[in-house]
Amino acid sequence: MDYIEFLKTKIELAPESGFEVDRSKINKALKPHQEDAVAWALRGGRRALFESFGLGKTVQEIEFCYQAIKKEGGKALIVLPLGVKQEFTQDAVNVLGYEKPKYVRNMQEVKEASEKILLTNYERVRDGDIDPSYFTATSLDEASVLRSFGSKTYQTFLDKFKSVKYKLVATATPSPNRYKELIHYAGYLEVMDTGQALTRFFQRDSTKANNLTLYPNMEDEFWLWVSSWALFITRPSDLNPKYSDDGYELPPLTVNWHELPIKYGDAVEKNGQISLFNEAAAGLKEAAQVKRESIDTRVAKMKEIVEASPEDHFVLWHDLESERHAIKKALPEVVEIYGSQDYETREQRVIDFSQGRTKLFATKKSISGSGCNFQRYCHREIFLGIDYEFNDFIQAIHRCYRFLQTEQVVIDIIYMENEREI
């Protein structure tokens, strides 16, 4: 063994714990890049799919689970955000030709289910209603919930999914420039312990807590290691230059910023003093107050935009229940969904809008901002307000701004003059 060969043995790569699937047995409905991704994930056993919006992560997750339980037996569980169940049921039946996955709420329903692929939401797992260790294969859809190491979801999932043989995570927003987040995914997938990864690849900044810098001599090895367990794709040709990118070009995008003036002298502090105005960027409390006080002004602008394009379908994004009520009052024809609503009703309303049966759809980013596909009939989105959550914002934009969108996407963002800093 020469010195170069010796050094190569020191490079850390993710272990392979899966199996080599017969490519002819993979569902023919999968496109070439999707087939490659599924075969790679099955061979690794525990892998991450970091693919851009619209590349078909849903069908890949279903096929990964289908092939894993076909090989090993047992059942598979796909964990997803509330509001996207319909995307999985429709793709499983209409695209792949499989039986409809069953949504389950507790372990009794899991054990009684005749279906082999089951769906549930993150809350059911986090709160202990569903035990992941029961399953042969699991997949986390929109797995960016794992990004915060100290969060209840991350710590709970790390333990609950430990030793599940086949694990997949899928998200379009893995934040590759946030090293710690990538390490959290690796920890969940049991590729490398989080502490070990921090020690191996990073030097700490003594002047700033939690600031990580890659050792200069470890940068190539770090990304080689990441690429051994995570697949980053922005278009099919990323995997193979021969793969066609037809249908995977994003449409034109127009963003309209609507800054509305404020009425000076209306802001009153708790001590009764009159302020010139509330500065929203001063803090979360001030931002919330500006939001509450400007609802009617912002809703009036939203109504003006909608009525100027009567033929278009719109997603109306809002954050507050009071905003939802104001939207409904201004535009009675709006179809709305909200957290306390019956789940089946909510799901049907999402399907109706995504299939073009309704034109105006009011919802929150926390409910419909991840996983839903609205691009078939909608190319207009209005954000009734702004906040500090960029990840939620960009996820919501990509409900319409996706591959296979045939129209120019128009995003209207409404905010007050004193929210400019946000």
Side-chain angles (χ1 to χ4, degrees), residues 272-322:
Q273 294 291 319
I274 295 177
S275 306
L276 186 60
F277 61 86
N278 281 324
E279 177 55 64
L284 294 174
K285 185 181 78 171
E286 289 79 5
Q289 185 175 345
V290 169
K291 255 192 185 319
R292 290 193 301 270
E293 294 172 349
S294 62
I295 289 175
D296 291 341
T297 305
R298 290 181 287 114
V299 168
K301 184 64 179 178
M302 178 210 70
K303 183 178 180 182
E304 176 189 320
I305 296 168
V306 170
E307 291 181 343
S309 302
E311 300 303 315
D312 288 339
H313 294 214
F314 284 86
V315 185
L316 308 175
W317 299 105
H318 58 277
D319 297 304
L320 307 175
E321 281 297 285
S322 48

Side-chain angles (χ1 to χ4, degrees), residues 74-112:
K75 293 180 179 179
L77 179 71
I78 300 176
V79 188
L80 34 77
L82 285 168
V84 301
K85 182 179 75 171
Q86 70 282 344
E87 302 294 342
F88 281 83
T89 55
Q90 290 185 95
D91 280 0
V93 176
N94 300 331
V95 177
L96 299 174
Y98 295 150
E99 67 176 347
K100 181 179 177 180
K102 181 180 177 61
Y103 179 81
V104 291
R105 294 166 293 186
N106 52 56
M107 288 308 296
Q108 182 178 344
E109 291 183 3
V110 167
K111 293 171 181 176
E112 291 175 352

Side-chain angles (χ1 to χ4, degrees), residues 48-61:
L49 300 180
F50 297 147
E51 302 179 11
S52 291
F53 303 95
L55 281 169
K57 292 186 292 297
T58 301
V59 294
Q60 294 172 59
E61 290 177 67

Side-chain angles (χ1 to χ4, degrees), residues 6 12 138 160 221 327 361 406:
F6 170 74
E12 188 74 45
T138 61
K160 287 182 178 292
E221 184 179 337
I327 291 171
F361 183 57
T406 58

Side-chain angles (χ1 to χ4, degrees), residues 38-50:
V38 169
W40 170 82
L42 288 168
R43 183 169 64 250
R46 296 166 178 160
R47 294 295 182 258
L49 300 180
F50 297 147

Side-chain angles (χ1 to χ4, degrees), residues 199-264:
T199 303
R200 182 180 182 89
F201 297 113
F202 298 96
Q203 55 187 343
R204 296 186 181 276
D205 187 341
S206 60
T207 64
K208 189 175 180 183
N210 292 321
N211 185 39
L212 298 178
T213 305
L214 268 171
Y215 286 115
N217 63 314
M218 296 296 288
E219 187 167 347
D220 287 346
E221 184 179 337
F222 173 76
W223 290 112
L224 182 63
W225 170 70
V226 171
S227 69
S228 71
W229 57 265
L231 188 62
F232 290 83
I233 311 176
T234 59
R235 58 181 63 84
S237 59
D238 288 348
L239 280 184
N240 189 326
K242 295 180 180 179
Y243 291 166
S244 172
D245 290 330
D246 290 346
Y248 292 98
E249 298 296 331
L250 287 170
L253 175 68
T254 297
V255 180
N256 301 318
W257 300 87
H258 304 277
E259 182 176 290
L260 305 182
I262 60 173
K263 292 175 66 178
Y264 291 94

